[in-house]
Amino acid sequence: MKITKIFLFLLLCAGCVTMAKAGTSSKTRVIVTSDGEIDDECSMVRFLLYANEWDIEGIITSSSQYHWQGHKWAGDDWINPYLDAYEKVYPNLVKHDKDYPTPAYLRERTALGNVKAEGEMDEETPGSNLIVKVLLDETDNRPVWIQAWGGTNTIARALKTIEEKYPEKMDYVAGKLRFFFIWEQDSTYQSYIRPHWGKYNILTIISDQFITYFYHWKKYLPAEQQQFLVGKWMNANVIHNHGPLCSLYKAHENGDFRSEGDSPAYFHVIPTGLRNEEHPDWGGWGGRYVKVRENTWLDPVEEEGYVYPEGRWYTSNAWGRTRLKKNIPNDQMLIDYLRPTWYWVEPLQNDFAARADWCVKPYDEANHAPVVALAHDDDLSAAPGKTVKLSAKGTKDPDGDKLTYKWWQYREAGSYPGDITLESNDGMKSSFVVPKDAKKGETIHVICEVADDGVPALTRYARVIITVK
């Protein structure tokens, strides 16, 4: 396509050296810390296919309670084959989005963190110092989402360096920090980060819902979600004939999805239109969470009388993991507990398949997600008994595909406890009457879900929040 050639020409002229100048990009900034477990490797394949969506500030190898140097260790340089494979598919990826970072850019931001032992945070390392550099840089004040796919020790070491050497900068650093942890895979969040940095109320999500994509998914995922994870689907849509990066994906021998337990950490910041990034209770591809203490968000547990632990949320006490160990057949409570993540399996996997296509197909032979636009503000207000008119007029598809619309109430995300009735919920426009029992200040969340008819079908969203007045 002509537009693709123009993009490539501009990209080459610019030299592809750096991303947007600091402070000018609207993208989310992310730092990944990973212990290199086999499911981290699977997560890394998908992560690199989404590298165009964020400003990646660091990819850092760390340790965890499961993996460290000399103990089930993937190697200090485990990520290099994935970066090498990314380099091979990069020329095709930029045909689909010029914002894919160059392989050189990613290599410059890949470093070794604290890996000598579980929870080791005594030594400064290249990885911890990279985090320090990013957090102290006052030329870019955008939030930085630091993800712990393994332990939090390299993150803790970086924050300790800042506390010891730049104590006057702690308030500034805390203001742009955001955390998403896949469990607390060592003790350093409780032993150092929380006691020393807790006063700043840093937004912190600690996920147990990630077990939706964990090794045991066949034990609890509904059949309609499992069909997108079995070997027949994975082989055809991702693993085979999709280039060297996807061929590295460590599925089971028959192609069955193995595990991507760490992926929800970045699913949370994929720009889907759900507006969940700064609002963990709103829900999105990475799950939905509730505020438990300070500014720490954990998984919603519906068990009557349940009390969250005061300390770590991890293997030994996270509700879903302990429930899974009970081996209850067709455990509806566990299935319901994981619904905030498994609800999105189909659109997530279709999105993965499209990105896999981007590795090998030209632009006009692949699919690209619709762009959802509302004809009104994202946030509205209305009194009980009043009609709220909703419209997604202006929504477009970059490939000219036919679009289907679905409007639905995300009841768990709103504070109004009842149901609403959406009229014409399958068209570009919809409406509903605010229930008469709705109280002032309560909120109603309505999602506009738009899917195209491309192959694979891709879905994006807009969230409208109506506050009762």
Side-chain angles (χ1 to χ4, degrees), residues 323-398:
R323 182 80 177 190
L324 178 61
K325 290 177 181 178
K326 295 180 180 179
N327 289 315
I328 301 171
N330 302 313
D331 186 353
Q332 193 60 48
M333 281 194 70
L334 180 59
I335 293 169
D336 292 344
Y337 174 76
L338 296 173
R339 190 177 187 277
T341 41
W342 64 245
Y343 177 83
W344 314 100
V345 165
E346 179 178 354
L348 258 167
Q349 287 298 93
N350 280 341
D351 223 68
F352 188 13
R355 301 280 170 143
D357 285 346
W358 293 6
C359 293
V360 294
K361 292 183 178 181
Y363 189 96
D364 55 1
E365 292 181 14
N367 199 18
H368 308 84
V371 180
V372 184
L374 296 172
H376 46 73
D377 292 340
D378 295 340
D379 298 312
L380 305 173
S381 61
K386 295 297 183 180
T387 298
V388 176
K389 295 182 179 181
L390 304 169
S391 173
K393 185 179 180 180
T395 296
K396 298 178 180 179
D397 187 83

Side-chain angles (χ1 to χ4, degrees), residues 206-217:
I206 306 173
S207 175
D208 181 45
Q209 292 170 48
F210 76 85
I211 65 174
T212 286
Y213 301 97
F214 191 53
Y215 297 98
H216 304 290
W217 54 272

Side-chain angles (χ1 to χ4, degrees), residues 265-333:
Y266 62 85
F267 289 168
H268 180 73
V269 289
I270 294 175
T272 61
L274 287 168
R275 302 169 58 195
N276 57 280
E277 189 169 301
E278 295 287 329
H279 305 276
D281 55 329
W282 286 8
W285 281 7
R288 191 179 66 82
Y289 302 87
V290 294
K291 188 174 181 180
V292 172
R293 56 175 175 257
E294 299 141 12
N295 203 21
T296 301
W297 301 75
L298 306 181
D299 313 82
V301 176
E302 301 299 331
E303 181 180 312
E304 187 174 353
Y306 182 80
V307 177
Y308 288 92
E310 294 184 4
R312 284 175 71 179
W313 187 243
Y314 71 125
T315 320
S316 297
N317 62 6
W319 190 90
R321 178 61 166 153
T322 55
R323 182 80 177 190
L324 178 61
K325 290 177 181 178
K326 295 180 180 179
N327 289 315
I328 301 171
N330 302 313
D331 186 353
Q332 193 60 48
M333 281 194 70

